[in-house]
């Protein structure tokens, strides 16, 4: 059975948590597509031109433990604005989405460009302050020393770059269900998302 769930939204809105939760609940495979851009950004910082890094990306590149630093976040958003980089990554993402048994992909352009025919599309957002606070907690938990104000500035800069780029900008698909997680607990967000998936799965039986 092919069944695709597309989850898009800005940084730290809760996409990853919802995507992982849905994958676990329904036994779907999960791809965090931000990791592809992070891996390309990481390799750019190490000296490889981003177009080459994207064309030769290997699975082990996205398993690197150093992809979540603020430096890599910024680099990933820069390489994500390069059309050749995006084009080189399309095939891998569509193959993943079409796999048997169901797939959840989270990113910025899944419902609009990568999987316009996804069975469920969610656009997950939260206020910039809430997102910056969540990301700051994650970073300080992981041992990074950074102020909340600096994280907010990074989040706003990335939002701007991701939404204003010409190729596949961050925006909700016309048929996406909008999800504001600012005041939701993780359990509430997951329950609502799971109920949308359940409805679509039942409609296909
Ligand atoms: O989801 P994330 O924060 O790990 O993503 C890192 C960067 O990658 C983000 O700033 C924009 C880019 N990205 C993208 O352009 N398209 C995607 N489908 C996923 C991520």
């Amino acid at each position: 059975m092919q069944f695709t769930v597309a989850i898009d939204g800005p940084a730290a809105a809760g996409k990853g948590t919802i995507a992982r939760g849905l994958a676990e609940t329904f036994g779907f495979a999960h791809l965090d597509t931000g990791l592809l851009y992070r891996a390309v950004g990481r390799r750019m910082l190490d000296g490889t031109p981003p177009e080459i890094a994207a064309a030769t990306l290997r699975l082990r590149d996205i398993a690197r433990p150093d992809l979540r630093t603020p430096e890599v976040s910024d680099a990933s958003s820069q390489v994500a604005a390069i059309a050749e980089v995006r084009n080189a990554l399309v095939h891998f993402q569509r193959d993943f989405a079409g796999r048997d048994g169901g797939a959840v992909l989270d990113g910025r352009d899944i419902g609009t460009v990568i999987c316009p025919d996804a069975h469920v599309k969610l656009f997950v957002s939260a206020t910039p302050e809430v997102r910056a606070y969540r990301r700051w907690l994650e970073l300080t938990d992981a041992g990074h020393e950074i102020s909340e104000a600096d994280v907010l500035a990074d989040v706003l800069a990335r939002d701007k770059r991701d939404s204003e780029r010409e190729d596949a900008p961050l925006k909700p698909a016309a048929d996406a269900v909008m999800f504001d997680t600012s005041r939701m607990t993780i359990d509430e967000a997951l329950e609502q998302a799971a109920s949308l998936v359940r409805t679509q799965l039942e409609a296909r039986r």
Side-chain angles (χ1 to χ4, degrees):
M1 175 210 59
Q2 282 189 354
F3 190 89
T4 311
V5 182
I7 307 186
D8 291 304
K15 306 182 296 290
T17 307
I18 294 177
R20 279 190 299 276
L22 290 179
E24 196 175 319
T25 305
F26 295 99
F28 298 158
H30 169 225
L31 179 65
D32 169 357
T33 64
L35 281 179
L36 304 174
Y37 296 91
R38 285 177 180 273
V40 173
R42 177 70 261 169
R43 288 188 64 199
M44 176 180 79
L45 294 171
D46 295 340
T48 307
E51 296 81 356
I52 305 225
T56 57
L57 202 68
R58 293 145 306 180
L59 272 181
R60 74 178 128 104
D61 294 324
I62 66 173
R64 283 175 66 153
D66 55 355
L67 299 181
R68 299 253 172 232
T69 64
E71 194 191 16
V72 174
S73 297
D74 188 58
S76 65
S77 169
Q78 286 179 39
V79 301
I82 304 172
E84 289 90 335
V85 167
R86 305 200 72 83
N87 290 339
L89 300 175
V90 168
H91 192 64
F92 178 82
Q93 296 174 82
R94 290 205 178 129
D95 264 4
F96 190 96
R99 62 168 57 197
D100 203 28
V104 188
L105 286 82
D106 70 276
R108 303 288 190 290
D109 62 341
I110 309 302
T112 48
V113 174
I114 303 294
C115 306
D117 297 327
H119 302 89
V120 176
K121 293 184 189 177
L122 300 179
F123 192 87
V124 182
S125 64
T127 64
E129 290 73 18
V130 167
R131 291 187 286 119
Y133 178 65
R134 289 176 185 163
R135 188 48 53 93
W136 175 78
L137 279 182
E138 271 171 28
L139 288 169
T140 45
D141 268 0
H144 294 283
E145 276 189 29
I146 187 162
S147 74
E148 213 179 311
D150 282 348
V151 179
L152 178 59
D154 286 352
V155 160
L156 291 173
R158 262 200 313 143
D159 282 0
K160 186 168 158 55
R161 205 186 287 135
D162 294 343
S163 318
E164 291 182 357
R165 69 178 176 229
E166 235 165 73
D167 198 16
L170 167 67
K171 65 167 184 205
D175 52 350
V177 175
M178 306 298 285
F179 240 70
D180 185 335
T181 65
S182 306
R183 289 161 186 270
M184 279 187 200
T185 63
I186 291 177
D187 284 349
E188 282 165 353
L190 264 177
E191 206 177 290
Q192 289 192 26
S195 121
L196 286 169
V197 171
R198 219 168 274 121
T199 306
Q200 288 306 317
L201 277 173
E202 276 162 16
R204 285 166 54 85
R205 287 226 172 92

